[in-house]
Amino acid sequence: MAICEVCFRHCSLEPGQVGFCGARIGSGSKVTAKNYGVVSAVALDPIEKKPLNRFFPGSMILSVGSCGCNMRCRFCQNYEISWSQQAMDHAGRWGSLTPGELVQLAEGYKDRGNIGVAFTYNEPLVGYEFVRDTARLVKQAGMKTVLVTNGCAEEKILEQLSGHIDAMNIDLKCFNRQTYKEQLGGDLETVKRFIAGAVKFCHVELTTLVVPGISDDPRELDAMTDWIASLEDAQSRNVGADIPLHLNRFFPRFKMTDCRATDIGVLKALADRAAKKLKYVYTGNC
Ligand code: SF4
Ligand code: SF4
């Protein structure tokens, strides 16, 4: 039996047993990444699509997905690669790349404006070893590294990435502990610790998908923006108001097709409210 210490779930795994995320497996006294090198999707995307609006704007980034996720958002648009059972069902169909091969691929796209590699689409940190190993090589090649994450990994995983990741977009899906747990399968306190730690070593932007009934309460948004505005960098300087926040419009999808899309007026009102505390607030999917 081994305990996985990558995320807040701390799965206890017998040898051969796969964890909740579908990406990690018990192996004697250790837990290893079953998805190491598995690549489910590769695309050259504008960096604003991550979304990152204040990190090399106008550039492109080679975006790579693997499989597995430790959350269970019922509106997940990438459920085929993220939800455990589906991810395992598809894993055999996908290709694989070594970190070195991925860096070569990224370098080959430089003439199309590529600045590096973004780890995205599923939750990258359930396979943090591949992210860490690849990011190291990308940096050695003089390119940039981006992580798009739900922020549910433990601080010791974040520490392993320090110095290897240049920018992150981190989901802050709502600001209510119970909703995070019961509706989304995540852990708000872990996400807050992760964000506070990431701000100390790389560029950070945050994303909230504004879902009716889950993350559209103005008072909750006030508490969220107060907390963001209080964040400090590694020198204990208050930098929170400079952290960009993306408020994105929700559309019915996956297991939430009976829910209405976010009203654009509601989204804009929330953005105006957030802009009283934060300098850079963007609306998306409008
Ligand atoms: S990363 Fe996966 S196996 Fe590890 S604790 Fe989280 S859900 Fe469980
Ligand atoms: S965190 Fe992202 S990938 Fe994971 S279930 Fe939620 S929306 Fe899907």
Side-chain angles (χ1 to χ4, degrees):
M1 173 80 76
I3 307 232
C4 178
E5 297 186 338
V6 170
C7 86
F8 70 98
R9 290 188 181 275
H10 300 134
C11 298
S12 296
L13 302 175
E14 300 284 357
Q17 188 182 356
V18 175
F20 178 90
C21 59
R24 305 188 68 79
I25 186 165
S27 173
S29 60
K30 292 195 295 193
V31 176
T32 58
K34 188 175 160 62
N35 69 349
Y36 192 97
V38 172
V39 175
S40 62
V42 182
L44 187 65
D45 282 341
I47 197 128
E48 287 79 5
K49 212 174 154 187
K50 297 306 95 191
L52 288 175
N53 281 15
R54 302 189 66 78
F55 182 79
F56 293 88
S59 61
M60 305 292 285
I61 193 144
L62 189 70
S63 303
V64 180
S66 183
C67 63
C69 183
N70 43 9
M71 288 185 70
R72 286 294 177 267
C73 312
R74 291 182 297 123
F75 46 77
C76 183
Q77 19 176 10
N78 293 325
Y79 65 92
E80 283 199 348
I81 60 170
S82 298
W83 286 44
S84 166
Q85 192 51 54
Q86 287 91 338
M88 287 304 106
D89 289 348
H90 285 75
R93 295 191 216 158
W94 297 324
S96 64
L97 288 173
T98 65
E101 287 168 339
L102 189 46
V103 176
Q104 273 185 355
L105 197 61
E107 288 184 305
Y109 282 109
K110 272 185 179 171
D111 59 355
R112 288 175 59 185
N114 183 35
I115 61 164
V117 172
F119 303 93
T120 179
Y121 302 136
N122 69 312
E123 169 45 45
L125 294 183
V126 295
Y128 78 92
E129 296 93 335
F130 184 76
V131 173
R132 179 199 59 202
D133 297 350
T134 307
R136 232 178 239 158
L137 295 183
V138 174
K139 297 288 291 170
Q140 280 170 18
M143 302 182 84
K144 302 294 177 198
T145 53
V146 165
L147 179 68
V148 182
T149 176
N150 64 25
C152 281
E154 294 289 6
E155 281 170 296
K156 61 177 73 169
I157 303 304
L158 185 63
E159 282 163 20
Q160 295 216 32
L161 301 174
S162 171
H164 306 307
I165 298 292
D166 294 304
M168 293 191 200
N169 186 293
I170 308 171
D171 286 339
L172 183 52
K173 290 176 186 280
C174 68
F175 213 64
N176 180 300
R177 192 185 295 200
Q178 198 174 351
T179 308
Y180 236 100
K181 184 176 177 193
E182 292 174 4
Q183 306 253 16
L184 307 167
D187 184 70
L188 176 60
E189 294 309 312
T190 305
V191 176
K192 286 167 70 180
R193 277 198 300 276
F194 188 94
I195 292 170
V199 167
K200 298 195 188 305
F201 76 83
C202 70
H203 175 84
V204 170
E205 301 195 16
L206 303 175
T207 295
T208 303
L209 181 69
V210 177
V211 183
I214 291 183
S215 46
D216 61 347
D217 181 337
R219 284 160 307 175
E220 222 176 271
L221 182 89
D222 287 346
M224 181 193 282
T225 50
D226 281 343
W227 178 77
I228 296 170
S230 74
L231 291 169
E232 296 180 341
D233 69 8
Q235 284 77 44
S236 302
R237 292 175 301 208
N238 181 252
V239 292
D242 294 323
I243 297 173
L245 174 66
H246 300 260
L247 296 176
N248 286 348
R249 192 176 183 214
F250 161 85
F251 288 97
R253 58 170 71 105
F254 190 36
K255 292 179 185 280
M256 283 189 74
T257 48
D258 54 347
C259 188
R260 66 190 189 283
T262 318
D263 180 271
I264 289 187
V266 168
L267 188 74
K268 300 255 187 235
L270 289 174
D272 288 345
R273 211 170 165 117
K276 290 184 180 147
K277 316 266 177 64
L278 308 175
K279 288 185 202 157
Y280 309 109
V281 180
Y282 305 97
T283 53
N285 299 345
C286 292

PDB file of all heavy atoms in Angstrom, residues 208-211 216 221 246-250 262-273 281-286:
ATOM      1  N   THR A 208     -11.990  32.165 -13.484  1.00  0.00           N
ATOM      2  CA  THR A 208     -13.233  31.687 -12.873  1.00  0.00           C
ATOM      3  C   THR A 208     -14.275  31.557 -13.975  1.00  0.00           C
ATOM      4  O   THR A 208     -14.599  32.543 -14.651  1.00  0.00           O
ATOM      5  CB  THR A 208     -13.745  32.681 -11.804  1.00  0.00           C
ATOM      6  OG1 THR A 208     -12.722  32.883 -10.829  1.00  0.00           O
ATOM      7  CG2 THR A 208     -15.004  32.155 -11.133  1.00  0.00           C
ATOM      8  N   LEU A 209     -14.743  30.339 -14.179  1.00  0.00           N
ATOM      9  CA  LEU A 209     -15.881  30.147 -15.085  1.00  0.00           C
ATOM     10  C   LEU A 209     -17.131  30.498 -14.271  1.00  0.00           C
ATOM     11  O   LEU A 209     -17.395  29.863 -13.246  1.00  0.00           O
ATOM     12  CB  LEU A 209     -15.929  28.688 -15.559  1.00  0.00           C
ATOM     13  CG  LEU A 209     -17.050  28.342 -16.537  1.00  0.00           C
ATOM     14  CD1 LEU A 209     -16.815  29.004 -17.894  1.00  0.00           C
ATOM     15  CD2 LEU A 209     -17.140  26.821 -16.726  1.00  0.00           C
ATOM     16  N   VAL A 210     -17.859  31.515 -14.716  1.00  0.00           N
ATOM     17  CA  VAL A 210     -19.005  31.977 -13.933  1.00  0.00           C
ATOM     18  C   VAL A 210     -20.223  31.124 -14.280  1.00  0.00           C
ATOM     19  O   VAL A 210     -20.864  31.298 -15.322  1.00  0.00           O
ATOM     20  CB  VAL A 210     -19.273  33.478 -14.192  1.00  0.00           C
ATOM     21  CG1 VAL A 210     -20.522  33.930 -13.420  1.00  0.00           C
ATOM     22  CG2 VAL A 210     -18.058  34.303 -13.762  1.00  0.00           C
ATOM     23  N   VAL A 211     -20.502  30.148 -13.409  1.00  0.00           N
ATOM     24  CA  VAL A 211     -21.591  29.194 -13.635  1.00  0.00           C
ATOM     25  C   VAL A 211     -22.781  29.601 -12.759  1.00  0.00           C
ATOM     26  O   VAL A 211     -22.620  29.769 -11.544  1.00  0.00           O
ATOM     27  CB  VAL A 211     -21.147  27.757 -13.250  1.00  0.00           C
ATOM     28  CG1 VAL A 211     -22.255  26.759 -13.551  1.00  0.00           C
ATOM     29  CG2 VAL A 211     -19.861  27.382 -13.963  1.00  0.00           C
ATOM     30  N   ASP A 216     -21.662  32.615  -9.240  1.00  0.00           N
ATOM     31  CA  ASP A 216     -22.130  33.931  -9.680  1.00  0.00           C
ATOM     32  C   ASP A 216     -22.651  34.793  -8.529  1.00  0.00           C
ATOM     33  O   ASP A 216     -23.332  35.792  -8.755  1.00  0.00           O
ATOM     34  CB  ASP A 216     -23.212  33.791 -10.767  1.00  0.00           C
ATOM     35  CG  ASP A 216     -24.447  33.040 -10.274  1.00  0.00           C
ATOM     36  OD1 ASP A 216     -24.380  32.405  -9.191  1.00  0.00           O
ATOM     37  OD2 ASP A 216     -25.475  33.093 -10.963  1.00  0.00           O
ATOM     38  N   LEU A 221     -17.837  36.687  -4.794  1.00  0.00           N
ATOM     39  CA  LEU A 221     -16.814  37.294  -5.653  1.00  0.00           C
ATOM     40  C   LEU A 221     -16.047  38.379  -4.883  1.00  0.00           C
ATOM     41  O   LEU A 221     -14.829  38.492  -5.016  1.00  0.00           O
ATOM     42  CB  LEU A 221     -17.457  37.895  -6.904  1.00  0.00           C
ATOM     43  CG  LEU A 221     -16.425  38.500  -7.867  1.00  0.00           C
ATOM     44  CD1 LEU A 221     -15.931  37.447  -8.863  1.00  0.00           C
ATOM     45  CD2 LEU A 221     -16.975  39.700  -8.602  1.00  0.00           C
ATOM     46  N   HIS A 246      -9.630  36.306 -15.077  1.00  0.00           N
ATOM     47  CA  HIS A 246     -10.492  36.059 -16.245  1.00  0.00           C
ATOM     48  C   HIS A 246     -11.826  35.522 -15.742  1.00  0.00           C
ATOM     49  O   HIS A 246     -11.871  34.466 -15.100  1.00  0.00           O
ATOM     50  CB  HIS A 246      -9.843  35.021 -17.171  1.00  0.00           C
ATOM     51  CG  HIS A 246      -8.506  35.442 -17.699  1.00  0.00           C
ATOM     52  ND1 HIS A 246      -8.321  35.972 -18.960  1.00  0.00           N
ATOM     53  CD2 HIS A 246      -7.274  35.431 -17.121  1.00  0.00           C
ATOM     54  CE1 HIS A 246      -7.050  36.259 -19.146  1.00  0.00           C
ATOM     55  NE2 HIS A 246      -6.389  35.936 -18.044  1.00  0.00           N
ATOM     56  N   LEU A 247     -12.894  36.240 -16.026  1.00  0.00           N
ATOM     57  CA  LEU A 247     -14.244  35.766 -15.689  1.00  0.00           C
ATOM     58  C   LEU A 247     -14.879  35.302 -16.994  1.00  0.00           C
ATOM     59  O   LEU A 247     -15.145  36.113 -17.892  1.00  0.00           O
ATOM     60  CB  LEU A 247     -15.058  36.891 -15.058  1.00  0.00           C
ATOM     61  CG  LEU A 247     -14.542  37.412 -13.702  1.00  0.00           C
ATOM     62  CD1 LEU A 247     -15.373  38.596 -13.219  1.00  0.00           C
ATOM     63  CD2 LEU A 247     -14.530  36.305 -12.645  1.00  0.00           C
ATOM     64  N   ASN A 248     -15.080  34.003 -17.109  1.00  0.00           N
ATOM     65  CA  ASN A 248     -15.553  33.445 -18.377  1.00  0.00           C
ATOM     66  C   ASN A 248     -17.021  33.043 -18.315  1.00  0.00           C
ATOM     67  O   ASN A 248     -17.516  32.578 -17.286  1.00  0.00           O
ATOM     68  CB  ASN A 248     -14.707  32.220 -18.757  1.00  0.00           C
ATOM     69  CG  ASN A 248     -13.322  32.632 -19.235  1.00  0.00           C
ATOM     70  OD1 ASN A 248     -13.075  33.810 -19.497  1.00  0.00           O
ATOM     71  ND2 ASN A 248     -12.422  31.676 -19.341  1.00  0.00           N
ATOM     72  N   ARG A 249     -17.673  33.200 -19.461  1.00  0.00           N
ATOM     73  CA  ARG A 249     -19.085  32.843 -19.567  1.00  0.00           C
ATOM     74  C   ARG A 249     -19.244  31.331 -19.689  1.00  0.00           C
ATOM     75  O   ARG A 249     -18.515  30.682 -20.448  1.00  0.00           O
ATOM     76  CB  ARG A 249     -19.669  33.542 -20.796  1.00  0.00           C
ATOM     77  CG  ARG A 249     -21.159  33.487 -20.857  1.00  0.00           C
ATOM     78  CD  ARG A 249     -21.699  34.279 -22.031  1.00  0.00           C
ATOM     79  NE  ARG A 249     -23.141  34.256 -22.030  1.00  0.00           N
ATOM     80  CZ  ARG A 249     -23.884  34.253 -23.126  1.00  0.00           C
ATOM     81  NH1 ARG A 249     -23.319  34.341 -24.310  1.00  0.00           N
ATOM     82  NH2 ARG A 249     -25.196  34.200 -23.033  1.00  0.00           N
ATOM     83  N   PHE A 250     -20.202  30.790 -18.955  1.00  0.00           N
ATOM     84  CA  PHE A 250     -20.500  29.343 -18.997  1.00  0.00           C
ATOM     85  C   PHE A 250     -21.560  29.057 -20.068  1.00  0.00           C
ATOM     86  O   PHE A 250     -22.498  29.835 -20.240  1.00  0.00           O
ATOM     87  CB  PHE A 250     -21.015  28.916 -17.610  1.00  0.00           C
ATOM     88  CG  PHE A 250     -21.777  27.628 -17.603  1.00  0.00           C
ATOM     89  CD1 PHE A 250     -21.116  26.405 -17.503  1.00  0.00           C
ATOM     90  CD2 PHE A 250     -23.172  27.613 -17.701  1.00  0.00           C
ATOM     91  CE1 PHE A 250     -21.827  25.209 -17.507  1.00  0.00           C
ATOM     92  CE2 PHE A 250     -23.882  26.428 -17.696  1.00  0.00           C
ATOM     93  CZ  PHE A 250     -23.202  25.231 -17.598  1.00  0.00           C
ATOM     94  N   THR A 262     -24.502  31.664 -18.802  1.00  0.00           N
ATOM     95  CA  THR A 262     -24.368  32.856 -17.954  1.00  0.00           C
ATOM     96  C   THR A 262     -24.919  34.070 -18.696  1.00  0.00           C
ATOM     97  O   THR A 262     -24.550  34.308 -19.863  1.00  0.00           O
ATOM     98  CB  THR A 262     -22.882  33.123 -17.631  1.00  0.00           C
ATOM     99  OG1 THR A 262     -22.245  31.897 -17.343  1.00  0.00           O
ATOM    100  CG2 THR A 262     -22.735  34.083 -16.464  1.00  0.00           C
ATOM    101  N   ASP A 263     -25.732  34.816 -18.031  1.00  0.00           N
ATOM    102  CA  ASP A 263     -26.261  36.057 -18.602  1.00  0.00           C
ATOM    103  C   ASP A 263     -25.095  37.053 -18.773  1.00  0.00           C
ATOM    104  O   ASP A 263     -24.313  37.262 -17.840  1.00  0.00           O
ATOM    105  CB  ASP A 263     -27.308  36.615 -17.630  1.00  0.00           C
ATOM    106  CG  ASP A 263     -27.914  37.894 -18.141  1.00  0.00           C
ATOM    107  OD1 ASP A 263     -27.350  38.976 -17.836  1.00  0.00           O
ATOM    108  OD2 ASP A 263     -28.924  37.806 -18.845  1.00  0.00           O
ATOM    109  N   ILE A 264     -24.992  37.646 -19.965  1.00  0.00           N
ATOM    110  CA  ILE A 264     -23.855  38.538 -20.219  1.00  0.00           C
ATOM    111  C   ILE A 264     -23.888  39.756 -19.289  1.00  0.00           C
ATOM    112  O   ILE A 264     -22.846  40.212 -18.808  1.00  0.00           O
ATOM    113  CB  ILE A 264     -23.829  38.986 -21.705  1.00  0.00           C
ATOM    114  CG1 ILE A 264     -23.440  37.779 -22.563  1.00  0.00           C
ATOM    115  CG2 ILE A 264     -22.847  40.122 -21.922  1.00  0.00           C
ATOM    116  CD1 ILE A 264     -23.212  38.068 -24.016  1.00  0.00           C
ATOM    117  N   GLY A 265     -25.097  40.247 -18.984  1.00  0.00           N
ATOM    118  CA  GLY A 265     -25.205  41.384 -18.068  1.00  0.00           C
ATOM    119  C   GLY A 265     -24.674  41.037 -16.677  1.00  0.00           C
ATOM    120  O   GLY A 265     -23.975  41.844 -16.041  1.00  0.00           O
ATOM    121  N   VAL A 266     -24.978  39.821 -16.216  1.00  0.00           N
ATOM    122  CA  VAL A 266     -24.485  39.367 -14.902  1.00  0.00           C
ATOM    123  C   VAL A 266     -22.962  39.292 -14.921  1.00  0.00           C
ATOM    124  O   VAL A 266     -22.275  39.752 -14.003  1.00  0.00           O
ATOM    125  CB  VAL A 266     -25.094  37.988 -14.539  1.00  0.00           C
ATOM    126  CG1 VAL A 266     -24.395  37.364 -13.344  1.00  0.00           C
ATOM    127  CG2 VAL A 266     -26.589  38.114 -14.287  1.00  0.00           C
ATOM    128  N   LEU A 267     -22.425  38.727 -16.013  1.00  0.00           N
ATOM    129  CA  LEU A 267     -20.967  38.583 -16.126  1.00  0.00           C
ATOM    130  C   LEU A 267     -20.284  39.957 -16.090  1.00  0.00           C
ATOM    131  O   LEU A 267     -19.308  40.157 -15.369  1.00  0.00           O
ATOM    132  CB  LEU A 267     -20.624  37.854 -17.438  1.00  0.00           C
ATOM    133  CG  LEU A 267     -19.167  37.468 -17.600  1.00  0.00           C
ATOM    134  CD1 LEU A 267     -18.812  36.293 -16.698  1.00  0.00           C
ATOM    135  CD2 LEU A 267     -18.858  37.101 -19.044  1.00  0.00           C
ATOM    136  N   LYS A 268     -20.821  40.889 -16.854  1.00  0.00           N
ATOM    137  CA  LYS A 268     -20.205  42.236 -16.908  1.00  0.00           C
ATOM    138  C   LYS A 268     -20.312  42.933 -15.547  1.00  0.00           C
ATOM    139  O   LYS A 268     -19.390  43.621 -15.114  1.00  0.00           O
ATOM    140  CB  LYS A 268     -20.898  43.094 -17.978  1.00  0.00           C
ATOM    141  CG  LYS A 268     -20.813  42.494 -19.381  1.00  0.00           C
ATOM    142  CD  LYS A 268     -19.811  43.226 -20.252  1.00  0.00           C
ATOM    143  CE  LYS A 268     -19.884  42.728 -21.678  1.00  0.00           C
ATOM    144  NZ  LYS A 268     -18.689  42.265 -22.269  1.00  0.00           N
ATOM    145  N   ALA A 269     -21.440  42.738 -14.870  1.00  0.00           N
ATOM    146  CA  ALA A 269     -21.593  43.368 -13.544  1.00  0.00           C
ATOM    147  C   ALA A 269     -20.574  42.791 -12.558  1.00  0.00           C
ATOM    148  O   ALA A 269     -19.978  43.521 -11.762  1.00  0.00           O
ATOM    149  CB  ALA A 269     -23.014  43.150 -13.024  1.00  0.00           C
ATOM    150  N   LEU A 270     -20.343  41.481 -12.635  1.00  0.00           N
ATOM    151  CA  LEU A 270     -19.346  40.862 -11.758  1.00  0.00           C
ATOM    152  C   LEU A 270     -17.954  41.377 -12.092  1.00  0.00           C
ATOM    153  O   LEU A 270     -17.133  41.637 -11.206  1.00  0.00           O
ATOM    154  CB  LEU A 270     -19.386  39.331 -11.889  1.00  0.00           C
ATOM    155  CG  LEU A 270     -20.614  38.626 -11.302  1.00  0.00           C
ATOM    156  CD1 LEU A 270     -20.585  37.135 -11.627  1.00  0.00           C
ATOM    157  CD2 LEU A 270     -20.705  38.831  -9.792  1.00  0.00           C
ATOM    158  N   ALA A 271     -17.681  41.541 -13.392  1.00  0.00           N
ATOM    159  CA  ALA A 271     -16.365  42.043 -13.814  1.00  0.00           C
ATOM    160  C   ALA A 271     -16.151  43.473 -13.301  1.00  0.00           C
ATOM    161  O   ALA A 271     -15.071  43.811 -12.812  1.00  0.00           O
ATOM    162  CB  ALA A 271     -16.238  41.986 -15.335  1.00  0.00           C
ATOM    163  N   ASP A 272     -17.194  44.306 -13.383  1.00  0.00           N
ATOM    164  CA  ASP A 272     -17.082  45.684 -12.878  1.00  0.00           C
ATOM    165  C   ASP A 272     -16.807  45.676 -11.377  1.00  0.00           C
ATOM    166  O   ASP A 272     -16.013  46.464 -10.862  1.00  0.00           O
ATOM    167  CB  ASP A 272     -18.386  46.459 -13.137  1.00  0.00           C
ATOM    168  CG  ASP A 272     -18.556  46.782 -14.622  1.00  0.00           C
ATOM    169  OD1 ASP A 272     -17.559  46.665 -15.377  1.00  0.00           O
ATOM    170  OD2 ASP A 272     -19.679  47.128 -15.027  1.00  0.00           O
ATOM    171  N   ARG A 273     -17.470  44.761 -10.688  1.00  0.00           N
ATOM    172  CA  ARG A 273     -17.293  44.646  -9.236  1.00  0.00           C
ATOM    173  C   ARG A 273     -15.858  44.223  -8.904  1.00  0.00           C
ATOM    174  O   ARG A 273     -15.218  44.788  -8.027  1.00  0.00           O
ATOM    175  CB  ARG A 273     -18.269  43.575  -8.747  1.00  0.00           C
ATOM    176  CG  ARG A 273     -18.780  43.787  -7.376  1.00  0.00           C
ATOM    177  CD  ARG A 273     -19.911  42.819  -7.115  1.00  0.00           C
ATOM    178  NE  ARG A 273     -20.148  42.804  -5.698  1.00  0.00           N
ATOM    179  CZ  ARG A 273     -21.280  43.193  -5.131  1.00  0.00           C
ATOM    180  NH1 ARG A 273     -22.275  43.604  -5.880  1.00  0.00           N
ATOM    181  NH2 ARG A 273     -21.405  43.148  -3.820  1.00  0.00           N
ATOM    182  N   VAL A 281      -9.090  42.819 -15.129  1.00  0.00           N
ATOM    183  CA  VAL A 281     -10.208  41.869 -15.103  1.00  0.00           C
ATOM    184  C   VAL A 281     -10.713  41.731 -16.542  1.00  0.00           C
ATOM    185  O   VAL A 281     -10.998  42.739 -17.208  1.00  0.00           O
ATOM    186  CB  VAL A 281     -11.344  42.359 -14.180  1.00  0.00           C
ATOM    187  CG1 VAL A 281     -12.494  41.358 -14.181  1.00  0.00           C
ATOM    188  CG2 VAL A 281     -10.811  42.566 -12.755  1.00  0.00           C
ATOM    189  N   TYR A 282     -10.784  40.510 -17.013  1.00  0.00           N
ATOM    190  CA  TYR A 282     -11.198  40.239 -18.401  1.00  0.00           C
ATOM    191  C   TYR A 282     -12.444  39.361 -18.393  1.00  0.00           C
ATOM    192  O   TYR A 282     -12.584  38.475 -17.550  1.00  0.00           O
ATOM    193  CB  TYR A 282     -10.085  39.504 -19.159  1.00  0.00           C
ATOM    194  CG  TYR A 282      -8.763  40.225 -19.138  1.00  0.00           C
ATOM    195  CD1 TYR A 282      -7.773  39.878 -18.212  1.00  0.00           C
ATOM    196  CD2 TYR A 282      -8.492  41.271 -20.031  1.00  0.00           C
ATOM    197  CE1 TYR A 282      -6.556  40.545 -18.176  1.00  0.00           C
ATOM    198  CE2 TYR A 282      -7.276  41.939 -20.002  1.00  0.00           C
ATOM    199  CZ  TYR A 282      -6.313  41.573 -19.077  1.00  0.00           C
ATOM    200  OH  TYR A 282      -5.107  42.241 -19.050  1.00  0.00           O
ATOM    201  N   THR A 283     -13.313  39.581 -19.366  1.00  0.00           N
ATOM    202  CA  THR A 283     -14.431  38.653 -19.562  1.00  0.00           C
ATOM    203  C   THR A 283     -14.136  37.813 -20.800  1.00  0.00           C
ATOM    204  O   THR A 283     -13.548  38.314 -21.762  1.00  0.00           O
ATOM    205  CB  THR A 283     -15.771  39.406 -19.735  1.00  0.00           C
ATOM    206  OG1 THR A 283     -15.625  40.381 -20.760  1.00  0.00           O
ATOM    207  CG2 THR A 283     -16.206  40.068 -18.449  1.00  0.00           C
ATOM    208  N   GLY A 284     -14.534  36.540 -20.751  1.00  0.00           N
ATOM    209  CA  GLY A 284     -14.251  35.642 -21.874  1.00  0.00           C
ATOM    210  C   GLY A 284     -15.476  34.843 -22.268  1.00  0.00           C
ATOM    211  O   GLY A 284     -16.463  34.789 -21.533  1.00  0.00           O
ATOM    212  N   ASN A 285     -15.436  34.249 -23.460  1.00  0.00           N
ATOM    213  CA  ASN A 285     -16.523  33.435 -24.049  1.00  0.00           C
ATOM    214  C   ASN A 285     -17.778  34.267 -24.309  1.00  0.00           C
ATOM    215  O   ASN A 285     -18.884  33.723 -24.319  1.00  0.00           O
ATOM    216  CB  ASN A 285     -16.935  32.261 -23.132  1.00  0.00           C
ATOM    217  CG  ASN A 285     -15.809  31.297 -22.863  1.00  0.00           C
ATOM    218  OD1 ASN A 285     -14.793  31.311 -23.559  1.00  0.00           O
ATOM    219  ND2 ASN A 285     -15.962  30.460 -21.855  1.00  0.00           N
ATOM    220  N   CYS A 286     -17.636  35.601 -24.465  1.00  0.00           N
ATOM    221  CA  CYS A 286     -18.839  36.443 -24.643  1.00  0.00           C
ATOM    222  C   CYS A 286     -19.191  36.596 -26.127  1.00  0.00           C
ATOM    223  O   CYS A 286     -18.347  36.499 -26.974  1.00  0.00           O
ATOM    224  CB  CYS A 286     -18.613  37.823 -24.055  1.00  0.00           C
ATOM    225  SG  CYS A 286     -18.479  37.761 -22.272  1.00  0.00           S
TER     226      CYS A 286
END
